[in-house]
């Protein structure tokens, strides 16, 4: 073959160096990061090769966490905010027993020491902690499952930082359904926190409080800062104290977009720092969100480094209160999730279309308006440069929905492989992904699992259907009462739009999704005939069963999205198996406490009985979201084989042994 000449081969049959092994091995996740007293970076990463174990790592690359520990909590079932660091002291939650442990960073001989009682099992969980240096304690959210009630209690408690004994934590704040973001001021005199109650999720309506701490460490007085007005619906989040004692936070009052505000304490009023029709934070699913931080400079008033998201892209902004100025700083990331400031150095978690999820060190100039240096400190996929020619760059698209004059959004990835051209007689097959949450969003960043498909000749589209985040409250609330309607219609509209645009083959449209995205997948296949095959990854088949067995955090979420009890049944795919008409493969973790494994089995048995091609893959030791490398690899390969065999009309180039398909093999 001449230099530069490409092979002509059927879409989907292309050979690619981006293998499932590479995808599964690169699926490390960043679960938080911070800076110790010496300015050294510490991060928490999960490792698929170690069955998803989460390990704290020093900037030097040395593991902090001993091999018999796993830094992870399960508060709200999703966890997050699993460690804190102050000076040379580290506190973390251990997965197996959910106890808090203290570890000294300066001594290699000092192993973790428990600082919370042993309750003979993981019945009491802690998250989102902060240090109280004045009273030598750790303040955290506690979720207590010891009661006889089906639902646990949530509180904010203090834990004594004592090496010798473990004391029962002291309850500081209780009585509401949920708490998050306990944040202490520098003097240890005021504690800010977020709380909310059923039937709301945090992003529906929440309150920001400040409590004044007595000499004995109790909250002796408290005041509501935001969210207390019954006529003003808002969801404040991410309180943060400056070294000067100012309280900043983010809320979406009035405009419907999460912007940064400041509390004027003596008047108990709030002041918008900068207003923009953009989202300066994201929904509270896991603890530890940190979408902005304060750059401390003694000679000036407070400077804030922040991320904001607008029109499908994230930006880094710097707000200077003294100059009443706002500027955007150019960095390679197009999605930014978390920011930690250390002097003029920013540590930023983000990604782009050619950069996987990464942790970057960003040094700003003295004017805080330009980048002096940008360097990657950690990457979920470190050895990817050789694959860049195979990367499909996403196109941000706006497409019409079934509502006149209304649009929705997606990221479209065309097939891309430098060694192949598709046949001129065909259009590529499409795999549409419906993201989970459903109050979440697709980001349009490098994801090797997407590139696995596109480098083999598939087109891929990641849809931000109505209800997704990143576009303001009004867009997010399109799904309220209409889950199973708006999301399905938007996914089908997106696929049909791409067919009409001549980008994909209308006879080879496939759909996949995880969790809530799995529900949209199953519901699209049951109630519409747009797609020819689907894959559900720990997806929801029975909304009523999900609602009845849902954990406390989301116990009202399902009915809020569906609208009422009748809709739970009317929009559950399991109740309409007679309407399924195409092949489906289902993947399920057997330790899933969010979506019960029985749901997957019911779907499988019903489709098997109906005579449709169907496969069920169950994983021991996996819960809601697959963490093991072997599970990630097998799921990806079997989706590819399933779609190729049932609707693809091509032979897969990889040597994969297909799983058995009932009513097909």
């Amino acid at each position: 073959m001449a230099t530069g000449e490409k092979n002509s081969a059927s879409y989907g049959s292309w050979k690619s160096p981006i293998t499932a092994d590479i995808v599964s091995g690169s699926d490390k996740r960043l679960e938080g990061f911070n800076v110790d007293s010496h300015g050294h970076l510490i991060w928490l990463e999960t490792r698929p090769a170690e069955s998803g174990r989460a390990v704290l790592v020093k900037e030097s690359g040395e593991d902090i966490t001993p091999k018999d520990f796993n830094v992870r909590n399960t508060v709200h079932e999703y966890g997050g905010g699993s460690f804190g660091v102050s000076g040379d002291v580290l506190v973390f939650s251990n997965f197996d027993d959910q106890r808090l442990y203290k570890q000294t960073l300066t001594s290699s001989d000092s192993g973790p020491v428990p600082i919370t009682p042993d309750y003979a099992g993981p019945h009491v969980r802690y998250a989102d902690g902060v240090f109280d240096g004045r009273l030598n304690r750790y303040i955290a959210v506690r979720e207590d499952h010891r009661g006889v009630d089906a639902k646990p209690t949530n509180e904010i408690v203090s834990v004594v930082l004592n090496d010798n004994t473990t004391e029962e934590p002291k309850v500081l704040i209780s009585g509401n359904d949920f708490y998050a973001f306990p944040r202490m001021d520098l003097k240890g005199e005021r504690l800010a926190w977020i709380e909310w109650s059923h039937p709301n999720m945090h992003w529906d309506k929440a309150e920001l409080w400040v409590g004044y701490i007595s000499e004995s460490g109790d909250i002796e007085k408290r005041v509501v800062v935001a969210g207390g007005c019954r006529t003003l619906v808002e969801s404040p989040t991410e309180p943060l104290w400056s070294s000067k004692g100012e309280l900043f936070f983010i809320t979406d009052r009035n405009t419907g977009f999460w912007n940064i505000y400041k509390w004027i304490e003596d008047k108990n009023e709030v002041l918008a720092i900068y207003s923009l029709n953009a989202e300066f934070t994201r929904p509270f699913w896991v603890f530890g969100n940190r979408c902005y931080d304060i750059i401390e400079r003694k000679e000036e008033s407070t400077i804030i480094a922040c991320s904001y998201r607008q029109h499908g892209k994230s930006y880094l902004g710097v707000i200077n209160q003294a100059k009443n100025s706002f500027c955007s700083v150019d960095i390679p990331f197009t999605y930014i999730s978390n920011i930690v400031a250390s002097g003029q150095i920013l540590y930023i978690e983000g990604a782009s279309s050619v950069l996987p999820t990464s942790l970057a060190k960003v040094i700003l100039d003295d004017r805080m308006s330009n980048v002096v240096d940008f360097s990657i400190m950690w990457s979920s996929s470190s050895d990817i440069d050789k694959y860049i020619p195979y990367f499909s760059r996403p196109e941000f698209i706006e497409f019409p929905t079934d509502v006149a004059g209304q649009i929705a959004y997606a990221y479209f990835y065309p097939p891309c492989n430098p060694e192949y051209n598709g046949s001129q007689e065909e259009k590529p097959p499409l795999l549409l992904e419906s993201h989970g949450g459903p109050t979440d969003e697709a980001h349009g960043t490098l994801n090797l699992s997407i590139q696995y498909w596109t480098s083999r000749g598939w087109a891929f589209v990641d849809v931000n259907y109505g209800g997704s985040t990143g576009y303001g409250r009004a867009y997010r609330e399109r799904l309220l009462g209409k889950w199973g309607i708006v999301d399905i219609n938007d996914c089908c509209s997106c696929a049909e739009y791409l067919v009409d645009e001549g980008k994909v083959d209308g006879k080879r449209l496939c759909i996949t999704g995880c969790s809530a995205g799995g529900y949209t997948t199953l519901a699209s296949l049951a109630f519409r005939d747009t797609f020819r095959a689907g894959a559900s990854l720990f997806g929801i088949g029975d909304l009523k069963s999900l609602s009845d067995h849902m954990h406390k955090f989301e116990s009202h979420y399902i009915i809020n999205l569906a609208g009422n009890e009748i809709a739970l049944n009317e929009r559950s795919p399991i109740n309409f198996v007679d309407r399924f008409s195409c092949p489906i493969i289902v993947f399920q973790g057997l330790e899933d406490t969010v979506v019960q494994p029985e749901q997957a089995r019911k779907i499988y048995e019903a489709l098997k009985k109906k005579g449709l091609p169907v496969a069920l893959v169950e994983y021991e030791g996996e819960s809601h979201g697959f963490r093991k490398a072997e599970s990630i690899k097998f799921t990806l390969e079997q989706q590819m084989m399933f779609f190729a065999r049932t609707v693809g009309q091509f032979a897969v180039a990889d040597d994969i042994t297909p799983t058995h398909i009932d009513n097909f093999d």
Side-chain angles (χ1 to χ4, degrees):
M1 186 171 62
T3 303
E5 186 178 342
K6 293 186 177 184
N7 292 306
S8 180
S10 296
Y11 288 109
S13 69
W14 303 350
K15 190 171 182 61
S16 169
I18 304 174
T19 65
D21 279 311
I22 289 168
V23 175
S24 61
S26 70
D27 199 31
K28 292 190 299 183
R29 301 177 190 175
L30 193 62
E31 303 282 355
F33 57 96
N34 217 320
V35 177
D36 68 13
S37 61
H38 306 289
H40 298 149
L41 184 65
I42 295 172
W43 65 79
L44 178 62
E45 68 179 36
T46 60
R47 297 172 176 173
E50 297 181 36
S51 298
R53 187 171 80 99
V55 180
L56 286 161
V57 184
K58 291 181 179 179
E59 185 174 325
S60 62
E62 177 188 356
D63 286 2
I64 297 171
T65 307
K67 291 190 179 298
D68 51 347
F69 286 87
N70 182 357
V71 182
R72 180 182 164 202
N73 77 76
T74 54
V75 179
H76 296 171
E77 304 303 328
Y78 297 109
S82 296
F83 79 99
V85 60
S86 178
D88 294 318
V89 176
L90 175 73
V91 171
F92 68 88
S93 172
N94 184 47
F95 177 66
D96 286 342
D97 57 12
Q98 291 294 298
R99 298 174 74 184
L100 288 179
Y101 288 76
K102 186 175 82 168
Q103 187 175 357
T104 303
L105 294 172
T106 53
S107 174
S108 59
D109 299 327
S110 175
V113 176
I115 57 173
T116 54
D118 183 357
Y119 299 111
H123 310 301
V124 180
R125 312 166 183 179
Y126 304 89
D128 210 16
V130 62
F131 288 83
D132 178 359
R134 180 167 72 104
L135 297 175
N136 191 36
R137 58 184 183 169
Y138 192 69
I139 296 175
V141 175
R142 181 176 75 177
E143 186 174 82
D144 192 341
H145 291 253
R146 289 176 294 174
V148 294
D149 261 346
K151 303 300 181 185
T153 57
N154 293 71
E155 301 156 322
I156 295 179
V157 301
S158 65
V159 179
V160 176
L161 293 172
N162 194 326
D163 288 340
N164 303 316
T165 61
T166 57
E167 301 178 14
E168 183 69 26
K170 181 179 186 179
V171 176
L172 299 180
I173 304 158
S174 63
N176 214 332
D177 291 316
F178 301 103
Y179 297 93
F181 296 105
R183 297 295 181 260
M184 181 73 67
D185 73 1
L186 197 63
K187 295 180 179 179
E189 297 174 347
R190 295 169 295 176
L191 180 72
W193 70 89
I194 300 294
E195 63 179 64
W196 68 100
S197 58
H198 288 316
N200 296 309
M201 296 297 284
H202 164 264
W203 51 82
D204 296 321
K205 194 176 193 307
E207 297 174 353
L208 167 61
W209 288 77
V210 168
Y212 296 84
I213 302 171
S214 67
E215 291 297 321
S216 63
D218 295 312
I219 305 293
E220 61 180 2
K221 173 190 170 186
R222 64 183 69 187
V223 58
V224 61
V225 173
C229 177
R230 293 185 177 182
T231 60
L232 180 63
V233 177
E234 61 178 323
S235 52
T237 186
E238 291 196 60
L240 186 63
W241 298 94
S242 74
S243 61
K244 302 175 179 65
E246 307 161 297
L247 178 64
F248 296 88
F249 63 99
I250 297 175
T251 193
D252 60 347
R253 59 170 56 195
N254 299 323
T255 67
F257 288 91
W258 274 310
N259 283 193
I260 301 176
Y261 287 73
K262 177 182 176 181
W263 180 43
I264 311 301
E265 185 175 8
D266 59 344
K267 299 179 181 178
N268 193 24
E269 296 177 352
V270 299
L271 174 70
I273 298 300
Y274 185 77
S275 295
L276 187 68
N277 284 350
E279 299 282 51
F280 282 73
T281 188
R282 59 188 183 277
F284 176 88
W285 275 110
V286 299
F287 290 94
N289 286 1
R290 196 160 178 176
C291 297
Y292 73 107
D293 205 355
I294 296 169
I295 301 174
E296 301 290 358
R297 299 182 74 184
K298 295 180 181 178
E299 70 277 11
E300 297 186 34
S301 70
T302 305
I303 297 176
I304 298 171
C306 55
S307 65
Y308 62 99
R309 193 148 176 82
Q310 195 173 41
H311 304 306
K313 183 179 178 181
S314 292
Y315 302 86
L316 174 64
V318 175
I319 300 172
N320 188 320
Q321 280 201 101
K323 299 178 180 179
N324 194 28
S325 67
F326 175 90
C327 70
S328 181
V329 180
D330 187 31
I331 61 173
F333 291 150
T334 56
Y335 177 72
I336 298 170
S337 47
N338 291 299
I339 298 175
V340 171
S342 179
Q344 289 183 211
I345 298 174
L346 301 177
Y347 293 101
I348 302 177
E349 177 186 356
S352 75
S353 62
V354 293
L355 289 172
T357 299
S358 305
L359 179 53
K361 181 179 183 180
V362 179
I363 302 176
L364 301 177
D365 62 11
D366 289 337
R367 298 175 60 190
M368 302 283 109
S369 58
N370 291 293
V371 174
V372 174
D373 184 62
F374 179 95
S375 55
I376 301 295
M377 307 294 290
W378 177 93
S379 173
S380 60
S381 311
S382 57
D383 185 25
I384 62 165
D385 288 350
K386 59 187 174 184
Y387 305 120
I388 289 178
Y390 296 86
F391 291 164
S392 175
R393 309 304 202 268
E395 174 191 350
F396 181 66
I397 61 173
E398 300 179 355
F399 59 90
T401 71
D402 65 330
V403 177
Q406 188 182 84
I407 60 171
Y409 310 96
Y411 299 95
F412 175 70
Y413 298 77
C416 179
N417 188 313
E419 300 174 22
Y420 292 92
N421 278 324
S423 168
Q424 293 184 354
E425 289 76 35
E426 65 170 344
K427 299 290 185 183
L430 173 73
L431 181 58
L432 180 146
E433 180 161 15
S434 161
H435 66 69
T439 310
D440 202 346
E441 67 168 315
H443 300 135
T445 54
L446 180 62
N447 181 335
L448 288 184
S449 66
I450 293 177
Q451 304 300 328
Y452 175 85
W453 295 90
T454 56
S455 63
R456 283 167 173 74
W458 281 75
F460 193 103
V461 66
D462 218 349
V463 183
N464 276 327
Y465 48 80
S468 301
T469 60
Y471 306 92
R473 179 181 281 266
Y475 192 83
R476 190 170 70 242
E477 291 185 345
R478 282 187 189 178
L479 205 60
L480 286 179
K482 296 182 179 180
W483 193 27
I485 298 175
V486 169
D487 50 325
I488 293 173
N489 289 342
D490 287 358
C491 285
C492 292
S493 294
C494 183
E496 291 160 358
Y497 169 81
L498 292 172
V499 172
D500 293 342
E501 290 289 303
K503 294 180 182 293
V504 301
D505 184 352
K507 295 181 179 179
R508 292 188 291 174
L509 303 177
C510 300
I511 184 170
T512 186
C514 303
S515 188
Y519 164 71
T520 301
T521 293
L522 293 171
S524 295
L525 297 173
F527 303 129
R528 300 286 290 272
D529 59 2
T530 302
F531 300 97
R532 300 302 175 94
S536 169
L537 283 62
F538 43 97
I540 304 155
D542 188 339
L543 294 178
K544 182 65 167 63
S545 175
L546 180 75
S547 181
D548 290 345
H549 297 95
M550 182 54 75
H551 54 91
K552 179 183 176 183
F553 180 57
E554 295 179 82
S555 58
H556 290 259
Y557 182 46
I558 308 306
I559 194 128
N560 287 347
L561 289 173
N564 54 54
E565 291 279 345
I566 296 174
L568 292 178
N569 290 309
E570 289 180 342
R571 298 182 205 155
S572 292
I574 192 65
N575 297 330
F576 299 91
V577 292
D578 58 307
R579 299 191 185 181
F580 283 105
S581 59
C582 68
I584 300 174
I585 186 168
V586 180
F587 300 87
Q588 180 67 46
L590 293 178
E591 295 183 11
D592 195 335
T593 58
V594 179
V595 177
Q596 303 293 329
E598 187 60 27
Q599 291 202 34
R601 291 174 185 152
K602 283 183 178 180
I603 289 285
Y604 165 71
E605 292 295 344
L607 297 182
K608 182 180 176 181
K609 184 177 180 180
K610 182 177 170 64
L612 288 174
V614 62
L616 171 64
V617 178
E618 295 180 320
Y619 295 119
E620 295 279 357
E622 292 284 16
S623 56
H624 198 65
F626 305 147
R627 289 174 171 261
K628 298 179 181 179
E630 57 268 29
S631 303
I632 297 166
K633 174 187 176 182
F634 193 79
T635 301
L636 191 57
E637 289 184 335
Q638 293 307 320
Q639 283 187 85
M640 174 71 72
M641 287 299 295
F642 185 85
F643 291 146
R645 296 180 68 204
T646 56
V647 300
Q649 302 171 19
F650 56 82
V652 172
D654 305 87
D655 184 15
I656 302 170
T657 302
T659 194
H660 176 77
I661 304 175
D662 290 288
N663 302 319
F664 187 84
D665 290 320

